[in-house]
Amino acid sequence: DGGITQSPKYLFRKEGQNVTLSCEQNLNHDAMYWYRQDPGQGLRLIYYSQIVNDFQKGDIAEGYSVSREKKESFPLTVTSAQKNPTAFYLCASGHKAFFGQGTRLTVV
Amino acid sequence: GESVGLHLPTLSVQEGDNSIINCAYSNSASDYFIWYKQESGKGPQFIIDIRSNMDKRQGQRVTVLLNKTVKHLSLQIAATQPGDSAVYFCAENYYGGATNKLIFGTGTLLAVQP
Protein backbone atom coordinates (compact mmCIF):
# COMPACT_ATOMS: atom_id res chain seq x y z
CA ASP A 1 0.00 0.00 0.00
CA GLY A 2 1.18 3.52 -0.72
CA GLY A 3 1.63 5.76 2.25
CA ILE A 4 3.81 7.72 4.59
CA THR A 5 5.36 6.05 7.62
CA GLN A 6 6.83 7.65 10.69
CA SER A 7 8.86 5.79 13.26
CA PRO A 8 9.06 5.29 16.11
CA LYS A 9 5.59 6.12 17.39
CA TYR A 10 6.97 7.00 20.83
CA LEU A 11 10.47 8.20 21.58
CA PHE A 12 12.13 9.12 24.84
CA ARG A 13 15.24 11.26 24.93
CA LYS A 14 17.57 12.17 27.71
CA GLU A 15 18.60 15.78 28.01
CA GLY A 16 21.64 16.55 25.90
CA GLN A 17 21.03 13.72 23.43
CA ASN A 18 20.38 14.03 19.74
CA VAL A 19 17.59 11.86 18.34
CA THR A 20 16.49 11.17 14.78
CA LEU A 21 12.89 10.70 13.71
CA SER A 22 12.25 8.69 10.58
CA CYS A 23 9.84 9.60 7.79
CA GLU A 24 9.48 7.42 4.69
CA GLN A 25 7.01 7.71 1.83
CA ASN A 26 6.37 5.55 -1.22
CA LEU A 27 3.96 7.96 -2.86
CA ASN A 28 6.59 9.35 -5.24
CA HIS A 29 6.08 12.82 -3.80
CA ASP A 30 8.69 15.50 -4.31
CA ALA A 31 7.58 17.68 -1.39
CA MET A 32 8.03 16.61 2.21
CA TYR A 33 7.41 18.53 5.43
CA TRP A 34 8.08 18.33 9.16
CA TYR A 35 5.72 19.96 11.66
CA ARG A 36 5.72 20.22 15.40
CA GLN A 37 2.49 20.15 17.41
CA ASP A 38 2.25 21.05 21.09
CA PRO A 39 -0.79 20.04 23.19
CA GLY A 40 -3.91 21.94 22.17
CA GLN A 41 -2.01 23.85 19.52
CA GLY A 42 -1.73 24.02 15.78
CA LEU A 43 1.05 22.78 13.52
CA ARG A 44 4.25 24.75 13.20
CA LEU A 45 6.56 24.19 10.26
CA ILE A 46 10.10 23.07 11.13
CA TYR A 47 11.63 22.22 7.75
CA TYR A 48 10.39 21.42 4.29
CA SER A 49 11.86 20.03 1.10
CA GLN A 50 10.54 20.51 -2.40
CA ILE A 51 13.05 18.19 -4.07
CA VAL A 52 15.86 15.77 -3.33
CA ASN A 53 19.05 17.35 -1.97
CA ASP A 54 17.28 20.60 -1.17
CA PHE A 55 15.42 21.81 1.91
CA GLN A 56 14.40 25.06 3.55
CA LYS A 57 13.92 26.23 7.11
CA GLY A 58 10.41 26.69 8.34
CA ASP A 59 9.24 28.93 11.16
CA ILE A 60 10.89 27.04 14.04
CA ALA A 61 14.01 25.41 12.59
CA GLU A 62 16.35 26.25 15.46
CA GLY A 63 17.59 23.12 17.22
CA TYR A 64 16.56 20.83 14.37
CA SER A 65 18.30 19.47 11.29
CA VAL A 66 17.17 17.46 8.27
CA SER A 67 18.53 15.73 5.20
CA ARG A 68 16.96 14.77 1.89
CA GLU A 69 19.36 12.34 0.24
CA LYS A 70 16.57 10.20 -1.18
CA LYS A 71 13.16 11.12 -2.51
CA GLU A 72 11.51 8.62 -0.18
CA SER A 73 13.15 9.74 3.03
CA PHE A 74 13.21 12.95 5.07
CA PRO A 75 14.65 12.26 8.55
CA LEU A 76 14.49 14.91 11.26
CA THR A 77 17.17 15.20 13.94
CA VAL A 78 16.26 16.91 17.18
CA THR A 79 19.53 18.21 18.57
CA SER A 80 20.52 19.10 22.10
CA ALA A 81 20.21 22.75 21.07
CA GLN A 82 16.42 22.36 21.02
CA LYS A 83 15.53 23.51 24.53
CA ASN A 84 11.98 22.23 24.65
CA PRO A 85 11.76 19.20 22.37
CA THR A 86 8.83 17.41 24.02
CA ALA A 87 6.07 17.49 21.39
CA PHE A 88 4.20 15.54 18.73
CA TYR A 89 6.12 15.54 15.45
CA LEU A 90 4.31 15.12 12.16
CA CYS A 91 5.76 14.41 8.75
CA ALA A 92 3.83 15.01 5.55
CA SER A 93 4.44 14.60 1.85
CA GLY A 94 2.97 15.88 -1.37
CA HIS A 95 1.15 18.98 -2.49
CA LYS A 96 -1.90 18.01 -0.43
CA ALA A 97 0.27 17.14 2.59
CA PHE A 98 -0.62 13.55 3.37
CA PHE A 99 0.45 13.00 6.95
CA GLY A 100 2.05 10.16 8.81
CA GLN A 101 0.73 9.08 12.19
CA GLY A 102 3.29 11.10 14.11
CA THR A 103 6.07 10.53 16.63
CA ARG A 104 5.56 11.60 20.21
CA LEU A 105 8.90 12.70 21.64
CA THR A 106 9.38 13.06 25.38
CA VAL A 107 12.46 14.31 27.18
CA VAL A 108 13.16 12.39 30.37
CA GLY B 1 2.85 38.83 7.68
CA GLU B 2 1.77 35.35 6.77
CA SER B 3 -0.76 33.70 9.00
CA VAL B 4 -3.80 31.51 9.00
CA GLY B 5 -6.13 31.88 11.93
CA LEU B 6 -9.45 30.55 13.10
CA HIS B 7 -12.26 32.60 14.59
CA LEU B 8 -13.63 29.91 16.94
CA PRO B 9 -11.33 27.65 18.92
CA THR B 10 -14.21 25.40 20.09
CA LEU B 11 -17.50 24.62 18.42
CA SER B 12 -20.20 22.53 20.07
CA VAL B 13 -23.09 21.25 17.96
CA GLN B 14 -25.96 18.83 18.33
CA GLU B 15 -25.89 15.60 16.36
CA GLY B 16 -27.72 16.09 13.08
CA ASP B 17 -27.14 19.83 12.94
CA ASN B 18 -24.93 21.50 10.36
CA SER B 19 -21.50 22.76 11.46
CA ILE B 20 -19.61 25.71 10.11
CA ILE B 21 -15.93 26.17 10.90
CA ASN B 22 -14.30 29.43 9.87
CA CYS B 23 -10.76 30.39 8.97
CA ALA B 24 -9.07 33.67 8.06
CA TYR B 25 -5.90 33.86 6.01
CA SER B 26 -3.67 36.84 5.41
CA ASN B 27 -1.65 36.09 2.29
CA SER B 28 -3.21 37.18 -0.97
CA ALA B 29 -0.63 35.16 -2.93
CA SER B 30 -1.86 31.85 -1.51
CA ASP B 31 -3.44 29.87 -4.31
CA TYR B 32 -4.58 26.68 -2.66
CA PHE B 33 -6.34 25.85 0.59
CA ILE B 34 -6.95 22.61 2.41
CA TRP B 35 -9.08 21.48 5.34
CA TYR B 36 -7.85 18.71 7.61
CA LYS B 37 -9.43 16.66 10.38
CA GLN B 38 -7.29 15.48 13.27
CA GLU B 39 -8.45 12.90 15.77
CA SER B 40 -6.72 12.58 19.11
CA GLY B 41 -3.22 11.12 18.87
CA LYS B 42 -3.29 10.82 15.09
CA GLY B 43 -1.96 12.74 12.14
CA PRO B 44 -4.25 15.16 10.27
CA GLN B 45 -6.38 13.69 7.50
CA PHE B 46 -7.12 15.50 4.27
CA ILE B 47 -10.82 16.40 3.96
CA ILE B 48 -11.24 18.75 1.04
CA ASP B 49 -9.30 21.35 -0.89
CA ILE B 50 -10.05 24.36 -3.02
CA ARG B 51 -8.04 26.44 -5.46
CA SER B 52 -8.10 30.21 -5.41
CA ASN B 53 -9.93 30.36 -8.76
CA MET B 54 -12.97 28.71 -7.16
CA ASP B 55 -15.55 30.00 -4.66
CA LYS B 56 -17.08 26.72 -3.59
CA ARG B 57 -16.34 23.05 -3.65
CA GLN B 58 -18.46 20.20 -2.39
CA GLY B 59 -17.56 16.77 -1.15
CA GLN B 60 -19.43 14.10 0.71
CA ARG B 61 -21.30 15.98 3.47
CA VAL B 62 -18.69 18.75 3.37
CA THR B 63 -18.53 22.03 1.51
CA VAL B 64 -15.68 24.53 1.46
CA LEU B 65 -16.35 28.17 0.67
CA LEU B 66 -13.65 30.64 -0.27
CA ASN B 67 -14.11 34.41 -0.13
CA LYS B 68 -10.97 36.00 -1.52
CA THR B 69 -12.28 39.51 -1.02
CA VAL B 70 -12.15 39.18 2.76
CA LYS B 71 -9.62 36.32 2.84
CA HIS B 72 -11.99 33.93 4.51
CA LEU B 73 -12.41 30.19 4.25
CA SER B 74 -15.13 28.04 5.78
CA LEU B 75 -15.89 24.36 6.12
CA GLN B 76 -19.50 23.29 6.32
CA ILE B 77 -20.36 19.82 7.57
CA ALA B 78 -23.90 18.67 6.93
CA ALA B 79 -25.79 16.48 9.40
CA THR B 80 -22.93 16.39 11.86
CA GLN B 81 -22.27 12.98 13.41
CA PRO B 82 -20.45 11.96 16.60
CA GLY B 83 -17.63 10.63 14.40
CA ASP B 84 -17.04 14.17 13.17
CA SER B 85 -15.77 15.18 16.61
CA ALA B 86 -12.15 16.20 16.10
CA VAL B 87 -9.90 19.21 15.63
CA TYR B 88 -10.20 20.83 12.22
CA PHE B 89 -7.37 22.79 10.63
CA CYS B 90 -7.26 24.95 7.58
CA ALA B 91 -4.02 25.40 5.68
CA GLU B 92 -2.91 27.74 2.93
CA ASN B 93 -0.31 27.06 0.30
CA TYR B 94 1.89 30.12 0.48
CA TYR B 95 4.41 31.15 -2.15
CA GLY B 96 7.46 32.78 -0.65
CA GLY B 97 10.33 33.46 -3.03
CA ALA B 98 11.15 30.39 -5.09
CA THR B 99 9.38 27.88 -2.89
CA ASN B 100 5.96 27.22 -1.51
CA LYS B 101 4.91 25.86 1.85
CA LEU B 102 1.78 24.92 3.74
CA ILE B 103 0.89 27.14 6.68
CA PHE B 104 -1.62 25.85 9.21
CA GLY B 105 -4.07 27.67 11.40
CA THR B 106 -4.50 27.07 15.12
CA GLY B 107 -7.39 24.63 14.77
CA THR B 108 -11.01 24.39 15.92
CA LEU B 109 -12.25 21.65 18.20
CA LEU B 110 -15.62 20.37 17.01
CA ALA B 111 -17.59 18.65 19.76
CA VAL B 112 -20.72 16.83 18.64
CA GLN B 113 -23.33 16.33 21.36
CA PRO B 114 -25.55 13.26 21.00
Side-chain angles (χ1 to χ4, degrees), chain B residues 33-47:
Chain B
F33 304 87
I34 307 174
W35 279 101
Y36 293 89
K37 173 186 180 183
Q38 186 179 27
E39 296 174 320
S40 181
K42 297 183 179 180
Q45 288 179 287
F46 173 94
I47 302 173

Side-chain angles (χ1 to χ4, degrees), chain A residues 35 37 48 50 96-97 99, chain B residues 32 36 38 49 99-100 102:
Chain A
Y35 291 89
Q37 186 174 35
Y48 60 110
Q50 297 293 333
K96 295 186 177 183
F99 281 86
Chain B
Y32 179 60
Y36 293 89
Q38 186 179 27
D49 58 355
T99 64
N100 64 78
L102 273 176

Side-chain angles (χ1 to χ4, degrees), chain A residues 70-86:
Chain A
K70 298 187 299 181
K71 189 175 188 177
E72 300 79 17
S73 179
F74 192 40
L76 173 75
T77 296
V78 184
T79 75
S80 57
Q82 171 50 239
K83 299 307 178 188
N84 185 23
T86 295

Side-chain angles (χ1 to χ4, degrees), chain A residues 33 35 37 41-43 45 48 50 56 59 88 90 95-101 104, chain B residues 2 32 34 36 38 41-44 46 49 51 89 93 99-102 104-106:
Chain A
Y33 307 84
Y35 291 89
Q37 186 174 35
Q41 309 256 334
L43 281 67
L45 183 62
Y48 60 110
Q50 297 293 333
Q56 289 78 38
D59 301 318
F88 190 43
L90 288 158
H95 187 57
K96 295 186 177 183
F98 290 102
F99 281 86
Q101 289 304 298
R104 191 166 299 279
Chain B
E2 53 187 62
Y32 179 60
I34 307 174
Y36 293 89
Q38 186 179 27
K42 297 183 179 180
F46 173 94
D49 58 355
R51 295 209 169 271
F89 294 97
N93 189 54
T99 64
N100 64 78
K101 58 184 179 180
L102 273 176
F104 282 76
T106 306

Side-chain angles (χ1 to χ4, degrees), chain A residues 7-8 11 44 57 74 89 94 103:
Chain A
S7 62
L11 186 57
R44 292 186 289 168
K57 293 183 179 179
F74 192 40
Y89 291 87
T103 293

